Amino acid sequence: MPQGSVLGPILFLIYINSVFSLNLRGNVTAFADDLGISYQACSNCDLICDINYDLHLLREWFASHKLIISNKTRLMYFNISSNEFSTTDITYHSPKCEKFKLYSNSSQFFDNRVPCDNDCFVIETVNSFRYLGVIFDCNLNWRLHTNSLKTYCRSALRKFYQLKKICSVSMLKTFYYGIFHSKLNYGISCWGGSYANKIRPLLTLQKSIVRGICNKTRRSPSFDLFKLLQILPVRHLYYYNALKIFFKNNQNSQVNILRRYNLRHTFDVPIPAFRTTIYRNSYPILSCRLFNKLPQEIKSISSLNIFLRCIKSWLFNFDHENIENLLNPNI
């Protein structure tokens, strides 16, 4: 198929769809030709065994589909604790490799006397990686991604100041949503739960652009301007997206079932157990805690559009400081 054709992406997805039928030990996620596999194991030995097992299945699949694995493939070990842990190099052996014969009936599957094929390569172990536009780091503290966002937003802010002299307020809002907001909103359900010291620089840049739209000085209070323009600040935007995803995922599950009864705490959902601050601020925990915080009349809404309008208005009841303390049980 010619590149850029309408039918090409559909046929490509049909062609590679069988990769999800493989009995892989890892959890596969994919977007077009960007495929990632995540693993969880009790020991480093079990982890390496699972990865090598899946790599063998994948090299069979690549050979049968006449495809090759990208040499841009990377390996990253996630560790949210401060303790050091050992990492092991992983080698991908091509289907033509004689050391690991792919289609061999011999009981001697591995022959160390034979050198690897030229297409075999050691998968590079990295501490951070950009996947589908989001920078993941091995400690999941999102520092690299928020720093990258900060650099981009500063560049966008400089362009905004040039346009501010010649554009109307409506045009400036269009610029904000097209260039600034779209970047902040992308993947925010992953990184939006970062600590306040990583979110604050983005909020500062967002305040600058909101003051610029309203033609206010840098010392003017910003939260009233956010409400006037109906623009959600960064942390508010994260909570908004968390509740939006939660509503979509639970439309036909427990939340809907609980709506049949009108009892005290009917609409509260159970919160999964958590042991770390990082997990407490992540979507699976935070969305449940946020939903339980909502007023009863919002919890009972069954229409997504009405639900989103109501939670947007509800979130504007909390300024920049109060939104950080919204889910703090000690305040």
Side-chain angles (χ1 to χ4, degrees):
M1 295 298 296
Q3 185 175 2
S5 64
V6 176
L7 193 57
I10 298 174
L11 292 179
F12 177 78
L13 292 175
I14 295 172
Y15 187 66
I16 69 165
N17 194 50
S18 59
V19 73
F20 300 101
S21 303
L22 297 176
N23 190 24
L24 299 177
R25 295 178 180 177
N27 181 36
V28 182
T29 57
F31 181 82
D33 61 342
D34 284 323
L35 185 141
I37 310 177
S38 56
Y39 296 87
Q40 180 179 348
C42 296
S43 67
N44 193 49
C45 180
D46 292 341
L47 186 67
I48 301 306
C49 289
D50 289 346
I51 295 174
N52 281 312
Y53 175 84
D54 285 356
L55 283 178
H56 177 65
L57 294 181
L58 286 171
R59 62 197 287 255
E60 288 183 348
W61 184 85
F62 277 115
S64 62
H65 285 72
K66 296 179 173 57
L67 295 172
I68 59 172
I69 192 172
S70 171
N71 56 11
K72 297 177 182 178
T73 302
R74 298 293 181 265
L75 173 69
M76 184 159 59
Y77 293 89
F78 291 98
N79 178 31
I80 61 174
S81 68
S82 57
N83 299 326
E84 294 291 332
F85 64 100
S86 59
T87 59
T88 305
D89 289 335
I90 302 291
T91 301
Y92 174 79
H93 297 274
S94 77
K96 298 180 292 183
C97 181
E98 291 294 325
K99 181 177 284 190
F100 281 90
K101 295 181 180 179
L102 189 56
Y103 302 112
S104 174
N105 296 323
S106 172
S107 59
Q108 188 179 5
F109 180 68
F110 171 72
D111 188 356
N112 197 35
R113 296 169 300 174
V114 180
C116 279
D117 187 76
N118 291 333
D119 292 331
C120 300
F121 64 93
V122 176
I123 300 176
E124 182 184 352
T125 302
V126 295
N127 292 324
S128 63
F129 187 72
R130 183 185 292 272
Y131 182 65
L132 299 177
V134 178
I135 302 176
F136 293 85
D137 59 86
C138 59
N139 301 121
L140 288 179
N141 59 24
W142 305 109
R143 178 178 55 83
L144 294 175
H145 184 75
T146 52
N147 285 344
S148 174
L149 269 179
K150 184 169 61 175
T151 302
Y152 172 87
C153 290
R154 281 176 177 168
S155 174
L157 188 61
R158 287 193 292 269
K159 297 173 185 176
F160 169 79
Y161 282 133
Q162 295 172 2
L163 292 174
K164 180 176 175 291
K165 303 172 184 177
I166 56 174
C167 292
S168 63
V169 172
S170 61
M171 284 295 295
L172 292 175
K173 280 189 69 175
T174 302
F175 172 85
Y176 167 81
Y177 278 106
I179 305 297
F180 207 95
H181 178 88
S182 59
K183 199 74 172 179
L184 283 180
N185 196 49
Y186 182 76
I188 197 171
S189 57
C190 296
W191 59 267
S194 305
Y195 293 115
N197 62 337
K198 297 181 179 64
I199 296 295
R200 200 173 294 117
L202 297 174
L203 178 60
T204 300
L205 292 168
Q206 201 180 15
K207 287 178 180 179
S208 298
I209 203 166
V210 165
R211 289 188 181 111
I213 293 174
C214 296
N215 199 25
K216 300 293 183 180
T217 63
R218 58 181 298 182
R219 295 189 179 275
S220 302
S222 63
F223 189 70
D224 290 338
L225 304 180
F226 278 101
K227 291 179 68 174
L228 176 66
L229 298 172
Q230 287 294 292
I231 292 175
L232 288 170
V234 183
R235 189 70 83 186
H236 295 67
L237 190 60
Y238 171 54
Y239 288 173
Y240 177 86
N241 277 274
L243 286 169
K244 179 180 179 180
I245 297 171
F246 179 84
F247 186 92
K248 288 182 175 180
N249 290 342
N250 292 277
Q251 269 187 315
N252 299 316
S253 62
Q254 185 179 11
V255 176
N256 244 8
I257 294 171
L258 291 173
R259 286 188 177 122
R260 299 174 186 172
Y261 305 95
N262 188 19
L263 302 173
R264 190 176 183 182
H265 302 301
T266 293
F267 302 102
D268 286 358
V269 294
I271 300 173
F274 57 89
R275 295 170 55 187
T276 63
T277 304
I278 289 179
Y279 191 44
R280 183 193 69 185
N281 294 335
S282 65
Y283 163 76
I285 304 297
L286 179 132
S287 58
C288 296
R289 298 171 68 206
L290 269 177
F291 185 83
N292 292 343
K293 284 276 188 179
L294 290 174
Q296 206 76 357
E297 58 271 16
I298 298 181
K299 293 180 186 178
S300 61
I301 295 172
S302 57
S303 168
L304 176 61
N305 291 333
I306 298 174
F307 179 77
L308 293 179
R309 285 200 299 269
C310 290
I311 62 171
K312 188 172 184 179
S313 300
W314 178 74
L315 286 171
F316 275 125
N317 293 325
F318 305 92
D319 60 17
H320 302 307
E321 182 179 352
N322 290 330
I323 198 70
E324 294 292 341
N325 299 326
L326 175 61
L327 299 178
N328 191 338
N330 300 320
I331 297 179

